Amino acid sequence: MADLFSGAAVGALMGEALKGAISIIKKGVAFKSTLDSNIETLESLAPLVEEMKMYNMRLDRPSKEIEKLESLMRNSQELVRKCSKLGRSKMWSFPYYQSKLRSKDGALQTHLSMNMTAQNTANLMKVMDDMRKVMEILLKEGFGRYPEYQFMGICGAPQEPECLGMVVPLSKLRIELLKDGVSVLVLTGLGGSGKSTLAKKICWVPQVKDKFGKNIFFVTVSKTPDLKTIVETLFEHCGFKVPKFQTDEDAVNRLEVLLRLLGQHPILLVLDDVWPGSEDLVEKFKIQIPDYKILVTSRVSFPRFGTSYQLDKLDDVHAESLFRHFAQLKDKSSYIPEKNLVDEIVKGCKGSPLALKVIAGSLCNKSFEVWRDMMEHLQKQSILESDTDLRFRLQQSLDILETKFSVNGKEFFMDLGLFPEDQRIPVAALIDMWAELYNLNEDGSNAMSIIHDLTTRNLINVIVTRKVAQDTDMYYNNHFVLVHDLLRELAIHLSKGEKTFEQRERVMIELKGDNRPEWWVGLNPLGIIGRSFSYILGMLHRQKQPKVAARILSISTDETFNSDWCDMQPDEAEVLVLNLLSSQYSLPEFTEKMHKLKVLIVTNYGFHRSELNMFERLGSLTNLKRIRLEKVSIPPLCILKNLRKLSIHMCNTRQAFERYSISDAMPNLVEMSIDYCKDLVKLPDGLCNITPLKKLSITNCHGLSALPQDLAKLENLEVLRLCSCSDLAYMPDSVKELNKLSCLDISDCLSLTKLPDDIGELKLQKLYLKGCSKLRELPDSVDKFENLEHEIHVICDEEMASLWKNSTIRNLKIEIPTVEVNLNWLPRVHS
């Protein structure tokens, strides 16, 4: 026992005690630095955690790990607060709390270094997987296939319009459109007030162009909008492959993917001509993307979207300025009316830009009596509060249309109502109609004279999508007419007149969804009971089926139409215009009885080609002279012995000429035009046996690689147009035997390496060689053009002109046309 208290033992015990005391003192001293370190860690983590929570919410990710981190931080914060209150009197407790601080900090560091790292890795893998799925969708739909157009709205902004007298409204619209927080802006006003013009012009305002760049898209919606078609148009504008949407929901989902890709930069989407009741459609385009704006033009304000800008009538000063511009009152050669007469007519237009423009055009170069009559007509209508009031004013300008080619000018204008709203009307289709209805000449010059008159009166606009020929060639495949929707409504209104349905000269029928006219009795309901009922009903109502007296019948159907036709009796019809949107379409059964039919025009306005069926129903129509087919898959053609002109535009032709040789089916063709038919790799068998053929145009058919060797059989051929057949590698030498050929167009035949050796034997008046980049030399026979008694015009580019520079041909005229860069000519069709 004594040993326990020996000096050595006591020294050992004192030494251990001293070590413990020293350790406690050291921990107490380290307490302050540990506390400061914990405070610094928590303060640096706090904003990062808030940012993580924000992104977690945006990405809709699980919050479990962040909640665990926040719990650990709260526990640490509570301990730090407690430790911060400890004074020197409790310094002996510092080591205890210093250990707890280290423990909490260690748990936090472990969670951050292990659990959160693992979770971040998992999140990253999930994001990568999601991106992979998105990229699969994009690649499947062709995104990135055209890198030069990627994320660009090619053709998005329309051509910049003339916008007279609207400087103030344009400025106000710009301010409203560029305001922060405005996602949908509705530009509203009466019909003809200039809404569409202003919406087009705003796309060209420098501040708007600077902000949105090439992400400006302009889509015309119209009275019967189709969501899938609008979205398809947007895909096409971006240069991507256009998907085939199964449902509207599918279209909206793909649209969101597209817009989010484009959303790297500000986006402006203009939805033009939105009709009342289409609010839900606009709502589908609202997607939460920064700097994404929608501009809507409509005759109603759509209060649910909040922000709107009312386009008022023009004031007196701007109204008179606009009127004088279009009446060409500065032209000293025309009658200049007194100011009070001008003022009264301008006053009668009530500030409507459309009325001012149309009425001014109708009075241009007219006599005093015509001006006075117009003033008196306008004074009869004192207000302008509706589209009906405006139509009255516009109608006055039609009352003074002159008779041309023994036909009242109104007749030509009314024919414009046969085609769908807001769609381009092919001039070639009007030429076909008017040649047969009004005995105009077949080359189209008479029709173009009428179109020119309607244009100068501001009743229509004409656009040329691609200039490929000279005006004197009278080639109008790229000419189109545009009609304001109010003027189209006026054309329809005048066509109806006071006559009953059965008595009208023109009958226009619109079939939408399940809606049918009261007199309509369908032929093809499904089911035995349905067919039996239809038969009984048909027998009971047979006498009610209208016997239509019209010379012109136009039928427009939507995408849901299933070719359930009624038993109509259009026995007198000479022109049948079929406007369709559906993927499948059968010609009406009643066409078999249209024995006076001379012109058939079938146009698919949908985005993808429509399968056309029952073509054989035309086989018994001996008066049928002209057929124009656009954007359809053509079935095997039937025998049409008297057909004189066949026009095929953007069609699938693979089956068209399988059943019969074309010379057997259509032996009297005088003109044939095939344009933008990408599946055409050779000319139809037997084509060279059609000796009456005078004009043959095969254009933009990039798969066509060769011409038949017996081309010389076309002994009456006067025009051979092969422009933009990029795979056409050579032309047969037999071309030299086309003794009546006066025009040969091989422009933009990129693969053509040489001309026929004996091309100089031809009696050409025009030879188009523009864009033949592989053509390096001319055959010696071109010197024989010297023997021609007339001039020969070679239309080419500068490179090709250099091949002719040493020529001594006295009657040779080299013409180098101005290059027009215009993407509007690009085809808008997809298989």
Side-chain angles (χ1 to χ4, degrees):
M1 181 69 70
D3 291 339
L4 290 174
F5 295 97
S6 64
V10 172
L13 286 172
M14 291 296 292
E16 290 300 320
L18 182 60
K19 289 180 182 179
I22 293 172
S23 175
I24 290 172
I25 292 170
K26 286 182 177 179
K27 288 182 179 179
V29 173
F31 169 76
K32 181 65 167 63
S33 62
T34 302
L35 177 61
D36 291 342
S37 175
N38 278 37
I39 292 172
E40 184 180 353
T41 299
L42 291 170
E43 287 179 346
S44 62
L45 276 177
L48 293 176
V49 170
E50 289 302 315
E51 191 173 353
M52 289 166 65
K53 287 170 64 178
M54 179 185 69
Y55 284 117
N56 213 57
M57 182 175 63
R58 286 186 182 178
L59 296 171
D60 195 24
R61 302 292 301 137
S63 59
K64 182 178 178 180
E65 287 301 320
I66 293 181
E67 290 173 356
K68 178 68 180 297
L69 177 60
E70 285 188 302
S71 177
L72 290 171
M73 289 177 64
R74 281 194 298 270
N75 291 338
S76 294
Q77 288 168 344
E78 182 63 30
L79 180 61
V80 165
R81 278 195 297 270
K82 190 172 182 178
C83 292
S84 298
K85 296 178 181 179
L86 296 176
R88 289 184 177 273
S89 61
K90 296 185 178 180
M91 62 179 297
W92 291 105
S93 64
F94 283 2
Y96 168 76
Y97 284 107
Q98 198 253 1
S99 297
K100 294 199 71 171
L101 286 171
R102 282 186 172 179
S103 176
K104 293 292 185 184
D105 186 63
L108 194 57
Q109 296 291 347
T110 299
H111 183 80
L112 288 170
S113 63
M114 296 180 63
N115 295 22
M116 290 300 291
T117 300
Q119 184 62 46
N120 288 341
T121 302
N123 288 343
L124 181 59
M125 293 175 68
K126 178 68 168 61
V127 170
M128 291 176 66
D129 183 58
D130 290 343
M131 285 299 298
R132 178 186 59 79
K133 292 177 180 177
V134 170
M135 290 306 298
E136 285 178 356
I137 294 174
L138 300 182
L139 291 173
K140 181 179 178 181
E141 302 304 336
F143 283 80
R145 184 172 300 178
Y146 312 104
E148 66 271 27
Y149 297 139
Q150 197 165 11
F151 308 143
M152 295 181 182
I154 60 169
C155 306
Q159 185 175 352
E160 185 175 8
E162 193 174 34
C163 199
L164 299 174
M166 305 185 81
V167 175
V168 174
L170 185 65
S171 177
K172 291 181 178 179
L173 180 63
R174 173 184 58 81
I175 293 171
E176 291 293 331
L177 184 63
L178 296 180
K179 278 183 179 179
D180 292 336
V182 175
S183 60
V184 179
L185 175 62
V186 180
L187 174 60
T188 183
L190 285 174
S193 59
K195 301 182 297 297
S196 296
T197 301
L198 201 61
K200 292 174 183 176
K201 184 69 174 181
I202 198 71
C203 298
W204 293 90
V205 170
Q207 296 94 322
V208 175
K209 288 180 66 178
D210 290 344
K211 180 177 178 64
F212 298 103
K214 294 184 178 179
N215 272 357
I216 297 177
F217 304 96
F218 194 101
V219 179
T220 302
V221 177
S222 298
K223 188 175 182 178
T224 55
D226 179 61
L227 176 65
K228 294 193 288 291
T229 299
I230 294 173
V231 177
E232 287 167 341
T233 301
L234 291 174
F235 268 79
E236 184 196 45
H237 282 177
C238 295
F240 300 140
K241 179 181 178 182
V242 179
K244 286 188 177 181
F245 304 122
Q246 301 303 314
T247 62
D248 282 357
E249 183 180 4
D250 182 28
V252 171
N253 292 337
R254 304 286 187 91
L255 172 67
E256 182 170 356
V257 174
L258 173 65
L259 291 180
R260 289 196 182 280
L261 282 170
L262 298 172
Q264 300 175 38
H265 306 285
I267 303 171
L268 173 61
L269 172 62
V270 182
L271 298 177
D272 184 43
D273 194 20
V274 178
W275 281 62
S278 296
E279 296 97 319
D280 290 342
L281 180 135
V282 176
E283 198 73 48
K284 288 181 170 62
F285 288 90
K286 291 179 63 178
I287 297 172
Q288 297 303 315
I289 301 175
D291 280 330
Y292 168 46
K293 292 179 180 287
I294 302 174
L295 175 62
V296 175
T297 72
S298 179
R299 300 181 195 179
V300 293
S301 60
F302 297 133
R304 68 190 279 185
F305 298 121
T307 307
S308 64
Y309 174 69
Q310 175 73 39
L311 186 57
D312 296 324
K313 305 167 188 175
L314 294 179
D315 59 35
D316 293 343
V317 173
H318 288 107
E320 181 178 346
S321 175
L322 183 69
F323 180 85
R324 287 182 175 276
H325 172 79
F326 286 107
Q328 299 180 24
L329 295 185
K330 294 181 180 179
D331 184 355
K332 300 302 181 182
S333 64
S334 62
Y335 163 69
I336 306 295
E338 295 180 0
K339 187 177 186 307
N340 65 332
L341 182 56
V342 173
D343 290 344
E344 285 300 314
I345 292 177
V346 170
K347 181 180 177 181
C349 293
K350 302 296 179 182
S352 166
L354 181 62
L356 288 161
K357 182 178 177 181
V358 170
I359 291 174
S362 68
L363 293 174
C364 184
N365 295 321
K366 292 295 186 293
S367 65
F368 163 73
E369 289 78 13
V370 176
W371 280 75
R372 185 187 58 189
D373 289 346
M374 178 62 73
M375 179 190 70
E376 292 174 353
H377 278 300
L378 292 175
Q379 287 175 338
K380 294 177 184 178
Q381 192 86 357
S382 59
I383 61 172
L384 180 58
E385 299 295 342
S386 68
D387 294 341
T388 303
D389 299 332
L390 180 56
R391 272 205 306 266
F392 174 86
R393 286 166 171 77
L394 296 174
Q395 187 169 341
Q396 312 312 312
S397 64
L398 298 177
D399 292 337
I400 54 177
L401 282 175
E402 297 94 344
T403 296
K404 292 204 70 169
F405 309 111
S406 303
V407 180
N408 189 313
K410 275 188 183 181
E411 299 294 324
F412 302 114
F413 175 76
M414 288 188 284
D415 286 339
L416 303 177
L418 301 168
F419 300 89
E421 179 188 11
D422 292 322
Q423 296 290 349
R424 301 186 304 189
I425 302 173
V427 166
L430 297 175
I431 291 173
D432 287 341
M433 288 172 45
W434 293 346
E436 299 298 336
L437 286 171
Y438 310 122
N439 295 317
L440 303 191
N441 58 13
E442 294 192 357
D443 63 18
S445 59
N446 290 165
M448 284 305 296
S449 173
I450 293 161
I451 289 170
H452 175 73
D453 285 351
L454 295 175
T455 303
T456 57
R457 285 164 172 74
N458 299 311
L459 293 168
I460 62 173
N461 290 321
V462 176
I463 59 172
V464 181
T465 55
R466 194 184 187 195
K467 186 79 171 178
V468 297
Q470 295 180 321
D471 293 339
T472 53
D473 291 345
M474 292 176 286
Y475 178 72
Y476 304 115
N477 277 16
N478 297 311
H479 291 59
F480 297 87
V481 167
L482 296 176
V483 187
H484 191 283
D485 53 2
L486 274 178
L487 290 169
R488 176 181 175 271
E489 290 171 17
L490 177 59
I492 295 172
H493 173 74
L494 293 174
S495 295
K496 292 179 179 178
E498 301 297 328
K499 297 180 180 179
T500 64
F501 176 84
E502 292 84 353
Q503 296 173 327
R504 292 172 191 162
E505 184 85 358
R506 295 168 192 79
V507 166
M508 286 154 276
I509 303 170
E510 290 192 14
L511 304 176
K512 302 184 185 304
D514 296 327
N515 295 328
R516 298 290 185 271
E518 293 181 359
W519 47 264
W520 189 281
V521 178
L523 292 172
N524 301 310
L526 299 176
I528 297 175
I529 296 177
R531 286 194 295 271
S532 301
F533 178 76
S534 176
Y535 175 77
I536 296 171
L537 191 65
M539 293 298 293
L540 292 173
H541 293 278
R542 186 70 62 184
Q543 68 277 15
K544 295 184 180 180
Q545 290 296 323
K547 185 171 183 179
V548 182
R551 293 182 69 198
I552 311 170
L553 176 60
S554 170
I555 304 177
S556 300
T557 55
D558 65 6
E559 67 277 3
T560 65
F561 184 67
N562 61 0
S563 296
D564 179 17
W565 295 102
C566 77
D567 188 20
M568 192 188 298
Q569 300 179 51
D571 301 342
E572 302 299 317
E574 298 176 33
V575 173
L576 175 60
V577 179
L578 299 175
N579 306 309
L580 57 123
L581 283 167
S582 53
S583 59
Q584 299 281 334
Y585 191 88
S586 296
L587 292 181
E589 187 171 331
F590 55 73
T591 53
E592 296 177 336
K593 297 175 285 186
M594 298 177 69
H595 297 297
K596 293 186 179 181
L597 188 67
K598 296 179 180 178
V599 180
L600 172 65
I601 299 171
V602 181
T603 307
N604 169 29
Y605 292 95
F607 221 87
H608 302 281
R609 293 180 181 88
S610 177
E611 296 284 342
L612 185 63
N613 300 306
M614 296 298 177
F615 203 84
E616 60 271 17
R617 288 175 173 167
L618 304 176
S620 61
L621 305 182
T622 56
N623 285 306
L624 189 57
K625 301 291 196 308
R626 298 165 182 258
I627 294 177
R628 176 182 171 84
L629 305 174
E630 181 169 344
K631 214 182 296 184
V632 297
S633 291
I634 306 174
L637 298 176
C638 60
I639 292 179
L640 296 164
K641 294 285 187 182
N642 296 320
L643 195 71
R644 293 177 57 82
K645 182 179 178 181
L646 177 64
S647 301
I648 300 173
H649 186 61
M650 291 195 291
C651 294
N652 283 336
T653 62
R654 183 176 56 83
Q655 298 182 54
F657 309 106
E658 286 183 348
R659 183 175 299 171
Y660 301 105
S661 165
I662 191 171
S663 59
D664 293 333
M666 304 170 183
N668 291 301
L669 272 184
V670 175
E671 183 174 352
M672 184 174 184
S673 174
I674 303 178
D675 189 30
Y676 282 112
C677 295
K678 65 180 182 180
D679 67 339
L680 185 76
V681 295
K682 66 173 186 174
L683 297 187
D685 291 338
L687 177 68
C688 296
N689 294 324
I690 305 178
T691 54
L693 196 64
K694 292 183 178 181
K695 293 183 180 181
L696 177 61
S697 295
I698 313 293
T699 54
N700 301 292
C701 296
H702 303 299
L704 181 69
S705 58
L707 299 176
Q709 291 293 334
D710 57 348
L711 200 64
K713 291 183 178 180
L714 297 173
E715 57 189 37
N716 290 300
L717 195 66
E718 298 172 359
V719 176
L720 177 59
R721 200 175 298 279
L722 300 165
C723 61
S724 297
C725 292
S726 55
D727 281 355
L728 184 63
Y730 73 97
M731 298 182 66
D733 290 334
S734 58
V735 168
K736 68 177 182 181
E737 299 176 33
L738 296 173
N739 296 322
K740 293 186 178 180
L741 192 68
S742 61
C743 177
L744 174 61
D745 186 352
I746 49 177
S747 299
D748 299 309
C749 289
L750 305 179
S751 300
L752 195 65
T753 58
K754 57 173 296 200
L755 295 176
D757 290 337
D758 294 320
I759 193 172
E761 301 287 344
L762 295 173
K763 299 178 177 62
L764 291 177
Q765 295 179 14
K766 292 184 179 180
L767 175 60
Y768 286 85
L769 294 173
K770 179 179 67 68
C772 296
S773 55
K774 289 188 178 181
L775 197 60
R776 302 299 184 190
E777 59 181 4
L778 301 174
D780 295 338
S781 67
V782 297
D783 292 336
K784 295 183 179 180
F785 288 142
E786 173 79 23
N787 300 326
L788 295 175
E789 297 179 358
H790 55 261
E791 289 184 343
I792 176 171
H793 295 256
V794 175
I795 300 93
C796 60
D797 47 34
E798 291 185 3
E799 183 179 2
M800 183 58 60
S802 64
L803 298 180
W804 296 84
K805 65 180 180 180
N806 295 323
S807 173
T808 58
I809 303 173
R810 56 181 174 76
N811 50 354
L812 175 66
K813 301 295 181 182
I814 303 294
E815 300 178 23
I816 302 176
T818 304
V819 177
E820 296 184 10
V821 180
N822 184 354
L823 293 179
N824 286 331
W825 62 271
L826 289 171
R828 298 189 175 188
V829 63
H830 299 267
S831 298

